[in-house]
Amino acid sequence: MLLLIDVQRNMLEPPQPVPAWKDVSAAIATLLERARAAGEPVVWVRNNGGPGDPDVRGTRGWELVHEPAAGEVVIDKSVPDAFANTDLGDLLPPFSQVVVAGMQSEWCVRETSLTALALGHEVTLVRGAHATYDDPRPAHEVSLAVEKELSEAGGRIVEVDEVAF
């Protein structure tokens, strides 16, 4: 399964995208194309921001960058862990393989991936297909730290070209 976390306009399009938005957007588009061509299930997770957030439900920033295809599930969440208070856990067969991409590395990508690992799923995080903002560390350092943590927790970190569905 391809799990796309918070692939929303507020982080992947101007006026305030993540620093690597063009490369990350291209990587996510490649993964999505490959998954669809292989008939792999795609699940979209969309964050519902609170008042004043750039991803408040119904705003342009809340919209997904890509249009989900027929049969692809969209799950709305309001906390970093996409398993919390959603049906995501019901969509994944036990011990399934999950390929993860999306926003923000140290928040929603990290939390959702750690929960998936704790539930016994095989998690593959795709380098270059997840990103975040500077925090004051450069965003790429934040993403690398998350990759290291997830690898130590049992996840796989792979390049886009290594993903096969």
Side-chain angles (χ1 to χ4, degrees):
M1 170 193 298
L2 176 60
L3 183 61
L4 296 174
I5 301 171
D6 301 349
V7 180
Q8 294 169 258
R9 295 187 188 279
N10 69 304
M11 289 183 270
L12 286 169
E13 291 181 355
Q16 295 183 320
V18 297
W21 68 279
K22 289 182 181 178
D23 292 337
V24 172
S25 291
I28 290 170
T30 297
L31 292 172
L32 182 58
E33 181 180 309
R34 285 187 196 156
R36 286 174 172 169
E40 187 74 18
V42 176
V43 174
W44 301 83
V45 176
R46 178 174 50 205
N47 193 64
N48 294 310
D53 289 338
D55 56 357
V56 172
R57 181 186 286 271
T59 64
R60 179 163 172 75
W62 172 80
E63 295 173 355
L64 297 169
V65 172
H66 304 279
E67 186 69 29
E72 295 176 353
V73 176
V74 178
I75 293 174
D76 285 304
K77 67 173 182 59
S78 58
V79 298
D81 183 355
F83 285 93
N85 303 315
T86 72
D87 294 333
L88 180 57
D90 297 333
L91 296 173
L92 297 173
F95 310 108
S96 58
Q97 181 181 10
V98 182
V99 176
V100 177
M103 303 294 114
Q104 286 178 257
S105 302
E106 79 280 31
W107 293 106
C108 303
V109 169
R110 176 186 176 275
E111 294 295 321
T112 301
S113 295
L114 287 172
T115 297
L117 287 166
L119 293 172
H121 300 294
E122 293 179 33
V123 174
T124 300
L125 179 62
V126 184
R127 178 173 286 137
H130 69 97
T132 194
Y133 295 95
D134 298 334
D135 83 338
R137 293 178 297 169
H140 72 277
E141 288 181 14
V142 176
S143 293
L144 287 173
V146 170
E147 290 175 4
K148 182 176 187 282
E149 179 183 4
L150 292 179
S151 178
E152 290 171 354
R156 289 182 55 229
I157 312 302
V158 300
E159 303 291 334
V160 173
D161 294 342
E162 296 177 77
V163 178
F165 292 103

